[in-house]
Amino acid sequence: FGPSYQQNLAGNQSVIAFSLGLIMVFLILAALYEMWVLPIAIMMGLPFALFGAGLTLILFRMENDIYFQVSLLTLIGLSAKNAILIVEFAIESVRAENMSYREAAIHAARVRFRPIIMTSIAFILGAVPLATATGAGANSQHSVGFGIIGGMIGSTCIATLFIPAFFVICMNMSKKEENNS
């Protein structure tokens, strides 16, 4: 039985897998930072990766198959990694150097920009062989490769600009909630 048959049998299990992936990343980040608000700032960068992957899907007229959905699961971790690089450095600047949230976010974005670009380019280039594959199974490799490349370009180009703002907004909201309690 082919992948199409198995995908039809599975139904909406990809939605369940994607949702569980998001929940697991959120809970792990909440445990790591010992606060609920920082994972929200990190997770707010995910739509940019999904937008990039979806745009790539449309531009190259590809199907939303199970292989593309695997690339979306991969993008959860990869785009979260980019956001973590900024948020981790910003929260340490707030705690250690007593910076304001805004100053810490700008400082973190400047300092961590190069490592984010370097790791993203390395991963994009690592997915190029999937996107340019030939032979048996090439279509499945194209789905994974183009999904990862498009998502990482979206995450790197767009989310990197917005994550510092999300950090400031979430931390200010958290501060207001603490003052109201």
Side-chain angles (χ1 to χ4, degrees):
F1 297 98
S4 298
Y5 175 73
Q6 291 178 2
Q7 187 174 0
N8 286 336
L9 282 179
N12 286 338
Q13 288 184 353
S14 61
V15 173
I16 295 169
F18 192 73
S19 300
L20 288 175
L22 289 172
I23 291 168
M24 287 303 297
V25 169
F26 180 82
L27 292 175
I28 289 168
L29 291 171
L32 175 69
Y33 293 116
E34 297 178 353
M35 51 183 8
W36 292 104
V37 74
L38 280 181
I40 294 171
I42 292 169
M43 300 295 278
M44 289 177 79
L46 294 178
F48 299 112
L50 301 179
F51 171 75
L55 188 62
T56 303
L57 186 82
I58 292 168
L59 288 176
F60 289 96
R61 296 183 181 151
M62 301 176 74
E63 292 186 31
N64 181 8
D65 58 5
I66 190 76
Y67 301 107
F68 180 77
Q69 293 166 7
V70 167
S71 73
L72 295 181
L73 280 173
T74 306
L75 287 174
I76 293 173
L78 294 172
S79 62
K81 173 213 44 103
N82 286 349
I84 289 169
L85 286 172
I86 295 173
V87 169
E88 177 75 27
F89 201 87
I91 197 66
E92 288 301 317
S93 296
V94 168
R95 291 177 180 163
E97 300 175 27
N98 205 20
M99 288 184 174
S100 71
Y101 296 136
R102 185 176 182 274
E103 291 170 341
I106 292 170
H107 178 65
R110 281 188 186 139
V111 172
R112 302 312 291 171
F113 182 73
R114 187 174 139 233
I116 288 170
I117 296 297
M118 288 172 42
T119 57
S120 295
I121 288 174
F123 200 81
I124 289 168
L125 292 177
V128 168
L130 292 171
T132 59
T134 58
N139 287 337
S140 63
Q141 293 175 6
H142 292 165
S143 291
V144 174
F146 279 110
I148 289 173
I149 290 171
M152 283 307 295
I153 289 172
S155 176
T156 304
C157 294
I158 303 170
T160 306
L161 301 173
F162 284 95
I163 293 299
F166 295 151
F167 171 78
V168 172
I169 291 168
C170 289
M171 292 306 290
N172 283 331
M173 287 174 42
S174 173
K175 188 176 177 182
K176 287 178 185 175
E177 287 180 18
E178 287 176 9
N179 292 339
N180 290 338
S181 304

